[in-house]
Amino acid sequence: MSLPTTLKPPPAWHEPLVWLVFGIPALTVVAGLITVWIAVQRADSNVAEDYYKRGLAINRSLEREARAQALGLVAEVSLTADRVLTVRLSGKVSPPESIMLTLTHPVHAEQDRRVVLQRGTDGLYRGSTAPIALVAWDLAIESQDWRMTARHLRLPDGVPFRIAAGSPRH
């Protein structure tokens, strides 16, 4: 007479159903931890801490843009290879000694640039800036009394472009 043989069941990790039952929740936890890590490492810089004050300043900015339009201001802006910004103003305005040119990066606020341009004897405003990436910048030219804006501008070296008050380029 022979003794009955007992078969040992295979280990649990050999069963596909075990991998489905435990694997999917485990992968979900790992994906959640990776998502949290990415969110902490890449904090959103698009929300300003003083957003309320900036909102109040919009009304003052709109009044200055209306003033630029009433004066019929037109600016011709160019950027030279040695990173000198040049602006020629025309319109019914007495030229101020200096104007502010602001370049706003479309994504990264830390790359925004503010350049003070001084009026030369030839009537042109000039100022230097750090190297500028070839992206579509938002641009603002302003003095105490008026402000002009343009959106999504590329700044090729040496190629002038015109901005007319009241008609921002999109």
Side-chain angles (χ1 to χ4, degrees), residues 76-86 103 129 131-137 139 152-163 169:
E76 185 175 296
V77 181
S78 64
L79 175 67
T80 62
D82 56 348
R83 301 295 171 222
V84 175
L85 286 162
T86 305
L103 293 168
T129 184
I132 296 174
L134 292 175
V135 297
W137 294 85
L139 181 130
H152 308 299
L153 294 174
R154 295 201 185 271
L155 301 172
D157 288 342
V159 179
F161 55 88
R162 294 173 58 90
I163 301 170
R169 288 173 45 173

Side-chain angles (χ1 to χ4, degrees), residues 69-110:
Q69 188 173 4
L71 292 171
L73 286 180
V74 175
E76 185 175 296
V77 181
S78 64
L79 175 67
T80 62
D82 56 348
R83 301 295 171 222
V84 175
L85 286 162
T86 305
V87 176
R88 177 187 306 276
L89 285 178
S90 60
K92 300 178 283 188
V93 64
S94 59
E97 287 301 312
S98 65
I99 58 176
M100 177 70 71
L101 188 139
T102 305
L103 293 168
T104 306
H105 193 276
V107 178
H108 302 291
E110 65 274 3

